[in-house]
Amino acid sequence: MRDLVAGMRYLGKGQRWVAQHGRWWGFGLIPALIALVLYAAVLTVLAIWSGDIAAWATPFADGWGSPWQGLLRGVFVALLFAGGLMLSVLTFTAATLLIGDPFYESLSEKVEESEGHCPPSPDRPLWQEIWIALRDSVHVLLRAAGFGLLLFVLGFIPFIGQTVIPAIGFCVSGFFLAVELTSVAMQRRDIPVRERLRLLRGRKGLAVGFGTPIVLLFLIPFVAVVLMPGAVAGATLLVRDLVPGPAEPSEPERGAAAAGPDQAAAPYGQPGGFGPPPAPFPPNQGPPQAPRYPHQQSGPGSSAARPPAGW
């Protein structure tokens, strides 16, 4: 449950980031608008021809009487169009990312730079980056299509097919949509697609919490275009926490490195180090001995001097 909420927060963080950087939001709208026009045309054709497709796919119902023939084909048309919408949500993201690969790569880099560190991109030409993105998208979409076909068949089960199966379908679509959206930042880190799937399978709640609200919102006309730049920004922030980069050196380490190899190697109070040398012990007296039973001391003391709980 915690991961689900965290995934939703990343979506909100991404939208907030583009709201604070309006120029980059407008920059990310361009490929989404192009993809929207293409998908609107395809869905319109599907809606017009869905009745003929249903009649062609169910020839065994030609002799059925009313209302069973109309009911069966009506359910088929509804599932066909719902499946088309789900597929369009998944492929819309992939197509938009392919169309706008240079756009979203620049947007993702800007998000990472604003957060303090941006991993360098692999030294590859643009055509190779687009080919890798296309290959990875096909890999993800084939997996998503397999789940979609299974859920489509299960949708014919009475009651469950109209209630539980659509809810599962939204979650599955949300997971694969999260895989697609995180591909920009993952590809910059040169993480192969199978490893991306493994990483997000290990945090299913995070991926579903991030992707499922986007699936639902993308079903509203034109909302996909408006939210796409923020979705890419949120996915980039998610990847930064899911795949943390190399740790930054601490302040003492940076100071030691700046002091040079000789001084960095010498500890405080030793030749070549900073500060006075340690004072010798008084004559006829060794180093002070720690109390044998420190937990019997009274008064304030450090937590290191007390035994751990349960002793």
Side-chain angles (χ1 to χ4, degrees):
M1 189 53 134
R2 184 179 301 174
D3 270 356
L4 282 172
V5 176
M8 295 177 190
R9 285 177 181 166
Y10 280 115
L11 178 59
K13 288 178 182 179
Q15 301 303 326
R16 187 164 56 249
W17 190 94
V18 295
Q20 294 170 353
H21 302 78
R23 185 172 69 89
W24 287 97
W25 176 72
F27 185 73
L29 287 180
I30 298 172
L33 285 169
I34 297 171
L36 177 66
V37 173
L38 297 174
Y39 275 82
V42 171
L43 287 174
T44 301
V45 171
L46 178 63
I48 292 172
W49 291 93
S50 59
D52 293 334
I53 295 172
W56 170 81
T58 57
F60 54 86
D62 289 342
W64 291 10
S66 179
W68 303 113
Q69 184 190 78
L71 181 63
L72 173 67
R73 290 180 174 171
V75 170
F76 185 92
V77 168
L79 290 173
L80 179 65
F81 197 74
L85 281 176
M86 289 294 181
L87 188 61
S88 68
V89 169
L90 290 171
T91 56
F92 177 86
T93 303
T96 305
L97 291 174
L98 285 173
I99 294 170
D101 185 77
F103 294 84
Y104 293 125
E105 179 64 30
S106 300
L107 171 62
S108 181
E109 285 182 1
K110 187 65 178 178
V111 172
E112 301 226 46
E113 288 172 1
S114 69
E115 294 297 310
H117 173 67
C118 179
S121 300
D123 187 15
R124 288 191 290 255
L126 178 60
W127 69 266
Q128 191 174 1
E129 291 284 342
I130 295 175
W131 165 249
I132 292 173
L134 176 61
R135 183 193 63 194
D136 293 349
S137 294
V138 170
H139 181 89
V140 173
L141 289 174
L142 287 175
R143 286 174 175 258
F147 281 97
L149 182 61
L150 175 63
L151 293 172
F152 179 80
V153 174
L154 294 176
F156 287 97
I157 300 175
F159 183 72
I160 295 177
Q162 292 75 49
T163 54
V164 177
I165 299 303
I168 296 174
F170 280 119
C171 293
V172 171
S173 298
F175 174 84
F176 285 107
L177 183 61
V179 175
E180 284 288 349
L181 287 169
T182 55
S183 65
V184 178
M186 293 277 198
Q187 191 171 330
R188 185 183 309 111
R189 289 163 172 79
D190 213 13
I191 300 175
V193 63
R194 287 182 174 82
E195 180 65 13
R196 298 174 208 168
L197 288 164
R198 188 192 65 79
L199 285 170
L200 289 171
R201 277 200 304 266
R203 300 287 298 277
K204 289 188 185 73
L206 188 66
V208 171
F210 177 76
T212 303
I214 303 177
V215 171
L216 297 173
L217 291 169
F218 276 17
L219 296 176
I220 305 173
F222 305 109
V223 170
V225 177
V226 176
L227 295 184
M228 190 65 185
V232 173
T236 301
L237 295 172
L238 186 152
V239 170
R240 285 179 63 86
D241 289 346
L242 186 66
V243 188
E248 291 292 325
S250 63
E251 289 295 334
E253 289 172 344
R254 283 195 291 265
D262 294 336
Q263 291 181 345
Y268 181 88
Q270 295 297 326
F274 294 104
F281 297 119
N284 302 324
Q285 183 177 346
Q289 299 294 326
R292 186 173 181 183
Y293 302 102
H295 59 279
Q296 294 178 354
Q297 289 181 304
S298 60
S302 66
S303 59
R306 294 193 295 271
W311 277 26

